[in-house]
Amino acid sequence: MPPKSPRRGPPSRPQEEEPPSSGGNESGDPDFVSLCEKLSVSAQVRSRSWQTYEKLFNLDWALQGDPVKKIEALGLCLFIASVNYDEMTFTFTELLQALDISVRKCFVLLTQIDINMDNLSTKVDNAVSKLRKRYETMCHLYQKFQRTFDNIFMELPNIQGSTDSNKASILKGSWITFILAKGNILQMDDDLVISFQLLLCVLEYFIKRAPTDVLKEPYKSTVNGLSINGATRASRRGQNRNTRSSQLSDTRVIEALCSENECPVDEVKNVYLSSFVDFLDSTGISSIDGLPKVDVISKQYEELYKRNKDIDARLFLENENTLKVDIQERLEQERTPRKNNLDEAPLIPPQTPVRAAMTTINQLMVTLNSASDAPSDILNSYFKNCTVNPKNKITERVERLGHIFKERFASVVGQACSEIGYQRYKVGVRLHYRVLESMLKSEEERLSTHNFSVLLNNEIFHTCLLACAVEVVMAIYGRNLFQSQANQETAISFPWILQVFEQKAFDFYKVIESFIKAEPSLTKDMIKHLERCEYMIMECLAWQSDSPLFELIRQSRDHEESVDQPETASTLPQPSHNPTAADLYLSPSRTTHQNAALSVHNPPPTNGHGPLSTQPRQKSTSLSLFYKKVYCLAYIRLNSLCSNLLSDHCDLEQVIWTLFQHTLQHEYELMKDRHLDQIMMCSMYGICKAKSIDLRFKTIVTAYKQLPNTNQETFKHVLIREGMHDSIIVFYNLVFMQKLKSNILQYASPLLPTLSPIPHIPRSPYRFGNSPLRIPGGNNIYLSPLKSPYKSSDGLLSPTKMTPRSRILVSIGEHFGTAEKFLKINQMVSSTERPVKRPADGTVPKPLKKLRFDGQDEADGSKPEDSKFQQKLAEMTSARKRIEKQVSDELPDPVKKEDE
């Protein structure tokens, strides 16, 4: 990545004391000299870090007169310079110990330095982000390791004086073996799922070799059963790798561990055979008789840790100060709904990241339980109905891409993980066939046709659909519950899958909405993930210079001139139905249902990317829908920024939007290899300059950081011209202002030009219509519309599993228990306040005083037929009244009198 030019910080404040040294002579500061010697930094790093410290000293009054903060700042400046020069002579733990600070405090201080100076390179940002993810992953794993270990081993007095067989020694040995295995096997060591599965392999190894009297049930009985029914423990230790790999017949310990931790057994076996066995051989552990020696494996780990300049994970065992952090609150169990009286019900197990990941994976496996790696009979019938049967091409493509994926996954995650990656790919293939079948059924019902030759022979459509399915699987396995969405990015995060399959983001976006609608078992988190992928495409990925979007815009302008230029969101033609993936991939050759059915039945010649039409070119549905969605996203983000910065100038929002929309429509070349938010911030700054409003770019950037899903690289690394990147200020001065100067200046006049209408923000098509609605206020009441039928084979859960776990669970229309519970629920519902939520169109609704059951919404005066949800509430009202009357008749007289 090209180096950045320095960004201007705030003007230096007058100082009452001189900076720590003059003329860059850092040798005069004893604290700095001592720190440099302790960390063995080079002269180049020393000089650069001192310059950074001097700037920071002038900008941050808190450093002056505080020797502790001074040492901390000096050390972090050394870290920043070492990363920039790729000259790390110390590990991250050695830095923390030299400064006597914790990991979390270090991250906080680095964030403060970035805020004060605003010129940390993206190289440093990325290094800190990786360290943060690695540290949080290790925290979660160590917490899980402690709980799992305590469930397996018991504390026994060390009668014989041995240090190898007591619980403390086994704890230390198994943890160090795990972090050594993790470091050897995983290149991408923040993969939580593979790491945890590897941890189970290590525990299985230690369980089989530990004394049986230190084991708890069911592991003690399981190990004893292995000794009776299988080979003796001594003979198993002597087996060579090939024998153990071919057999692994003693899987009962792994099965017990997987059962206790809700982990798929087949996946752990795969990790054991494909990765863990090789690790045991490469480190010499497999040749050891009994448990590995702690000092031997600890020495191997130390070499690995120092080579990677990493965090010393052995210190978790010692509760060392640099790693000490109060994460109990972050890992606190999620009680949903929270209990008003905790004594009335047992505690729910903690919803840790590992447990959440395992639960989601198991749900996926239930969904795909009946799916196959090959096309189903229904899909084969669709293939046979095509003019050109696409089955061979589809299956060959799936096999070819599988080999590519396996190789690329191993190159990123670790060569020992190739089989693990291929296993995940096959899960994605099953999901892909399932969604394809669902899509075709929907299209058949919509178009009343059985011949989908054009669509099914479209290679781009199939590849993108497969990529979407694999992305869902990868996201489920890579999910981390306690990381923000922006921090979840890893080396295999979206858009990595597009690079593997060599697909364009604009083509991928066409399948997202149809994919979500075709797969009802997708969780809310997975829908949000795909929605975020769509946002990334609209923000920047579709605007890359090699994107087919620009050619589509050019064709649209060439053939339809000014009439068919991308229009504003308020004037875009509304299709008679929500466009499906078929509409978008075959666009612009068809626009009506009749034409669609005709083109599918009698497909025109194709070039592999879609039909070749001899008719005059029609407006592209994919282009129109894309621009409509881009405008909606752009305005939502602009509205958030204006609300934070220009609340005293509300009239400016539409003016800024007009310039913003004009740029996207008429100067779309400015978006090439850039980000939507860059144009947004420049539009805001330009209008404020024209209106003589004092709004600095630094203020805009500071507010922009608070928006969801933002990245510092957006404003630190902006394309200026080919091969040159700089800050957003430089981009505004050299590119944006030069291109739009005359347009910006016209807004300085009191007589404004015609303003673009604010786009209508439709309801997101990705929201769950049947989501449980929580009634806030601490009363733990959820309204969950009944979804029927509940088929476990389709991945849909039963009402009791779908509804939040609670003390009071009611299904209206069924007997539920005592009358007192029902009265309590009625009382809680009637006394609950519902919060005011800002609707999508930006208007502020009237506050809802109470949740009503009469089908009338006080916010917008909508009638019951306005929404399915209101209809369900109306149905619930009638049922509630009948049951309430029935319960009231059954109550004893004292209760009736009190109620009256």
Side-chain angles (χ1 to χ4, degrees):
M1 184 174 292
K4 315 289 178 53
S5 62
R7 272 164 283 284
R8 293 182 299 173
S12 299
R13 295 187 286 261
Q15 306 294 333
E16 295 182 358
E17 57 180 294
E18 292 296 321
S21 69
S22 58
N25 182 18
E26 66 276 6
S27 60
D29 190 289
D31 292 328
F32 184 68
V33 172
S34 173
L35 203 55
C36 290
E37 291 176 351
K38 188 179 296 186
L39 299 176
S40 304
V41 299
S42 66
Q44 180 178 230
V45 169
R46 178 183 299 207
S47 176
R48 178 64 178 269
S49 59
W50 182 255
Q51 294 172 16
T52 304
Y53 175 73
E54 283 186 316
K55 293 178 183 177
L56 182 63
F57 185 90
N58 291 329
L59 293 172
D60 191 352
W61 283 352
L63 288 178
Q64 301 164 20
D66 190 329
V68 175
K69 290 185 177 180
K70 174 188 173 184
I71 294 292
E72 293 171 352
L74 285 169
L76 295 181
C77 290
L78 285 169
F79 171 77
I80 292 169
S82 298
V83 171
N84 281 324
Y85 283 121
D86 291 321
E87 291 186 16
M88 289 292 292
T89 56
F90 49 87
T91 68
F92 192 61
T93 292
E94 288 172 345
L95 173 68
L96 298 176
Q97 291 173 337
L99 304 182
D100 194 22
I101 59 175
S102 66
V103 176
R104 201 162 294 281
K105 184 177 181 181
C106 178
F107 292 148
V108 170
L109 293 176
L110 283 168
T111 301
Q112 292 174 352
I113 290 176
D114 192 24
I115 292 173
N116 286 333
M117 302 182 65
D118 199 26
N119 69 343
L120 292 188
S121 66
T122 53
K123 197 172 185 179
V124 175
D125 289 338
N126 292 336
V128 173
S129 177
K130 289 179 181 178
L131 281 168
R132 189 192 303 272
K133 286 187 289 187
R134 194 177 305 153
Y135 169 68
E136 291 194 355
T137 301
M138 291 303 297
C139 280
H140 299 322
L141 289 168
Y142 185 69
Q143 289 259 326
K144 185 67 175 177
F145 167 75
Q146 283 183 309
R147 287 191 292 268
T148 307
F149 188 89
D150 288 339
N151 290 335
I152 298 171
F153 297 96
M154 63 177 65
E155 190 70 66
L156 290 178
N158 188 10
I159 300 175
Q160 299 178 349
S162 172
T163 60
D164 292 335
S165 60
N166 59 42
K167 184 178 178 181
S169 178
I170 297 174
L171 175 77
K172 189 173 183 179
S174 55
W175 174 250
I176 297 178
T177 301
F178 164 65
I179 57 178
L180 177 62
K182 182 174 178 290
N184 275 276
I185 293 172
L186 293 176
Q187 293 171 202
M188 196 187 76
D189 55 2
D190 55 354
D191 190 304
L192 189 65
V193 174
I194 297 180
S195 297
F196 177 64
Q197 292 169 345
L198 192 59
L199 175 60
L200 295 184
C201 294
V202 173
L203 290 173
E204 189 266 359
Y205 186 86
F206 274 75
I207 288 171
K208 286 184 175 180
R209 286 153 182 79
T212 56
D213 54 359
V214 82
L215 295 175
K216 295 181 180 179
E217 295 295 348
Y219 304 100
K220 184 174 184 177
S221 301
T222 304
V223 170
N224 286 332
L226 296 181
S227 301
I228 295 172
N229 301 324
T232 63
R233 304 178 82 187
S235 64
R236 281 200 308 275
R237 292 172 194 151
Q239 289 176 343
N240 60 37
R241 172 180 179 263
N242 292 331
T243 304
R244 287 186 290 109
S245 299
S246 61
Q247 289 184 353
L248 194 63
S249 56
D250 301 338
T251 60
R252 280 170 284 180
V253 174
I254 283 183
E255 290 168 359
L257 283 168
C258 291
S259 176
E260 288 290 321
N261 294 279
E262 301 176 358
C263 190
V265 178
D266 291 340
E267 294 190 6
V268 179
K269 290 180 183 177
N270 189 15
V271 172
Y272 192 103
L273 294 175
S274 64
S275 307
F276 187 62
V277 169
D278 289 330
F279 159 76
L280 294 175
D281 289 340
S282 64
T283 55
I285 295 177
S286 59
S287 61
I288 297 175
D289 187 18
L291 295 173
K293 301 295 182 182
V294 173
D295 55 344
V296 174
I297 56 176
S298 181
K299 184 177 180 180
Q300 292 186 43
Y301 174 76
E302 184 164 2
E303 295 174 359
L304 177 70
Y305 138 74
K306 289 191 172 181
R307 184 167 64 247
N308 294 333
K309 312 300 179 185
D310 206 348
I311 297 171
D312 189 349
R314 292 173 299 182
L315 299 180
F316 279 106
L317 294 166
E318 304 172 17
N319 197 24
E320 205 260 6
N321 286 334
T322 59
L323 298 183
K324 190 179 295 183
V325 59
D326 183 17
I327 59 174
Q328 188 60 36
E329 181 178 347
R330 301 183 69 223
L331 298 181
E332 183 61 31
Q333 55 196 349
E334 291 292 330
R335 302 183 183 99
T336 307
R338 297 184 184 278
K339 308 296 185 296
N340 288 328
N341 187 347
L342 298 181
D343 295 332
E344 296 184 18
L347 294 178
I348 299 170
Q351 183 71 348
T352 62
V354 175
R355 181 182 294 274
M358 293 301 107
T359 300
T360 310
I361 291 170
N362 283 325
Q363 288 179 350
L364 177 67
M365 295 307 171
V366 169
T367 300
L368 300 178
N369 188 38
S370 59
S372 171
D373 295 338
S376 66
D377 293 339
I378 296 177
L379 272 180
N380 283 324
S381 66
Y382 280 117
F383 296 160
K384 291 176 182 177
N385 288 332
C386 291
T387 307
V388 179
N389 192 319
K391 180 178 179 179
N392 290 338
K393 286 187 176 180
I394 291 174
T395 54
E396 289 172 3
R397 186 184 303 115
V398 166
E399 184 177 358
R400 174 175 56 83
L401 291 175
H403 294 302
I404 296 174
F405 180 90
K406 179 179 178 180
E407 181 180 337
R408 293 290 297 274
F409 184 91
S411 66
V412 175
V413 179
Q415 291 301 323
C417 300
S418 60
E419 289 301 324
I420 301 171
Y422 192 61
Q423 188 178 48
R424 293 185 184 181
Y425 174 80
K426 289 192 292 185
V427 175
V429 170
R430 295 201 296 271
L431 180 60
H432 151 260
Y433 282 132
R434 174 186 165 97
V435 172
L436 177 60
E437 181 179 319
S438 178
M439 280 186 177
L440 293 178
K441 287 179 180 178
S442 177
E443 289 293 292
E444 180 181 21
E445 181 178 347
R446 183 171 73 91
L447 302 175
S448 300
T449 184
H450 306 285
N451 187 344
F452 297 101
S453 188
V454 175
L455 181 66
L456 293 179
N457 281 283
N458 188 311
E459 181 178 357
I460 296 178
F461 163 72
H462 276 293
T463 307
C464 288
L465 186 65
L466 177 60
C468 192
V470 176
E471 175 61 29
V472 167
V473 173
M474 297 293 287
I476 288 175
Y477 278 89
R479 180 171 176 261
N480 193 328
L481 190 66
F482 290 99
Q483 288 183 350
S484 67
Q485 185 70 33
N487 289 334
Q488 285 191 10
E489 296 179 4
T490 65
I492 55 176
S493 294
F494 187 80
W496 176 78
I497 193 66
L498 300 184
Q499 301 164 8
V500 175
F501 288 175
E502 297 182 344
Q503 292 302 299
K504 303 300 181 185
F506 182 73
D507 291 322
F508 181 85
Y509 120 90
K510 299 176 186 179
V511 304
I512 293 177
E513 186 170 335
S514 292
F515 188 98
I516 292 173
K517 291 177 179 178
E519 184 46 71
S521 69
L522 287 179
T523 65
K524 185 179 291 187
D525 284 335
M526 286 304 100
I527 291 178
K528 286 182 178 179
H529 174 74
L530 289 178
E531 188 176 22
R532 178 58 192 146
C533 293
E534 187 178 60
Y535 287 166
M536 291 174 64
I537 291 170
M538 292 188 288
E539 290 169 350
C540 58
L541 298 178
W543 302 98
Q544 293 174 350
S545 54
D546 59 348
S547 172
L549 173 63
F550 291 101
E551 178 62 19
L552 196 59
I553 296 175
R554 186 189 64 77
Q555 291 176 1
S556 177
R557 288 173 176 266
D558 288 347
H559 286 274
E560 302 178 21
E561 300 179 348
S562 61
V563 176
D564 209 41
Q565 291 179 7
E567 300 155 332
T568 61
S570 60
T571 61
L572 282 170
Q574 299 297 321
S576 58
H577 64 283
N578 290 329
T580 65
D583 292 313
L584 300 182
Y585 276 96
L586 302 182
S587 169
S589 66
R590 56 181 189 170
T591 55
T592 66
H593 288 238
Q594 185 176 8
N595 288 341
L598 184 63
S599 65
V600 173
H601 242 321
N602 302 295
T606 69
N607 59 1
H609 297 273
L612 298 175
S613 177
T614 58
Q615 300 296 322
R617 181 175 295 273
Q618 301 167 350
K619 171 171 282 295
S620 169
T621 303
S622 60
L623 182 61
S624 298
L625 182 65
F626 178 78
Y627 256 91
K628 179 181 177 181
K629 288 190 172 187
V630 167
Y631 285 155
C632 289
L633 175 63
Y635 176 71
I636 289 172
R637 296 185 73 77
L638 176 64
N639 177 258
S640 298
L641 204 57
C642 288
S643 298
N644 289 338
L645 298 176
L646 298 173
S647 56
D648 296 334
H649 304 276
C650 298
D651 56 316
L652 282 187
E653 181 182 284
Q654 191 170 2
V655 180
I656 298 171
W657 166 247
T658 302
L659 176 62
F660 191 8
Q661 183 269 328
H662 168 85
T663 307
L664 295 175
Q665 177 180 347
H666 298 287
E667 304 295 344
Y668 57 88
E669 289 286 341
L670 282 177
M671 280 294 300
K672 188 171 289 187
D673 291 327
R674 297 190 178 99
H675 196 286
L676 187 69
D677 292 348
Q678 294 165 354
I679 307 299
M680 174 184 68
M681 287 186 278
C682 288
S683 298
M684 175 175 280
Y685 182 78
I687 294 299
C688 288
K689 289 284 286 184
K691 292 292 186 180
S692 301
I693 295 175
D694 185 20
L695 182 64
R696 300 175 182 273
F697 243 124
K698 184 176 179 62
T699 306
I700 295 176
V701 165
T702 301
Y704 172 75
K705 291 178 183 179
Q706 307 306 315
L707 296 182
N709 303 314
T710 59
N711 193 306
Q712 295 195 62
E713 191 165 341
T714 304
F715 54 83
K716 288 185 176 182
H717 192 72
V718 189
L719 175 67
I720 308 301
R721 58 176 178 267
E722 186 176 357
M724 176 183 174
H725 293 75
D726 213 302
S727 71
I728 192 169
I729 300 176
V730 177
F731 167 71
Y732 177 85
N733 290 328
L734 298 184
V735 182
F736 188 87
M737 182 62 180
Q738 303 303 320
K739 190 76 172 178
L740 294 162
K741 185 174 183 178
S742 59
N743 192 273
I744 294 173
L745 291 178
Q746 67 179 330
Y747 297 103
S749 170
L751 204 60
L752 292 175
T754 304
L755 299 181
S756 299
I758 298 298
H760 169 68
I761 309 298
R763 182 173 182 147
S764 172
Y766 308 132
R767 297 292 179 253
F768 274 95
N770 291 2
S771 295
L773 174 64
R774 184 176 188 272
I775 311 302
N779 288 328
N780 305 304
I781 298 294
Y782 282 72
L783 295 179
S784 181
L786 189 64
K787 188 174 185 180
S788 180
Y790 294 92
K791 299 178 181 178
S792 60
S793 61
D794 292 338
L796 303 177
L797 303 180
S798 67
T800 54
K801 292 182 180 179
M802 186 178 179
T803 307
R805 291 167 286 190
S806 62
R807 292 180 290 115
I808 303 176
L809 181 63
V810 179
S811 178
I812 294 180
E814 298 177 6
H815 180 70
F816 62 93
T818 64
E820 286 78 9
K821 285 186 177 181
F822 196 78
L823 286 176
K824 185 175 181 180
I825 289 177
N826 283 341
Q827 191 177 27
M828 291 161 67
V829 171
S830 62
S831 64
T832 300
E833 295 292 325
R834 193 173 182 185
V836 177
K837 294 189 74 175
R838 186 181 182 93
D841 60 5
T843 60
V844 179
K846 299 177 183 178
L848 290 178
K849 295 181 180 179
K850 294 180 181 179
L851 180 69
R852 298 167 60 104
F853 283 86
D854 57 2
Q856 183 76 15
D857 190 331
E858 294 181 16
D860 56 8
S862 61
K863 297 180 180 180
E865 60 268 20
D866 288 343
S867 71
K868 292 182 179 180
F869 185 69
Q870 294 296 334
Q871 293 175 10
K872 289 181 180 294
L873 286 180
E875 294 170 3
M876 292 168 63
T877 301
S878 177
R880 185 181 72 91
K881 288 180 178 178
R882 291 196 307 270
I883 298 173
E884 189 174 23
K885 184 178 184 304
Q886 179 184 351
V887 172
S888 179
D889 293 340
E890 296 174 358
L891 289 175
D893 290 339
V895 178
K896 285 187 178 181
K897 186 175 294 185
E898 185 177 311
D899 200 34
E900 294 172 359

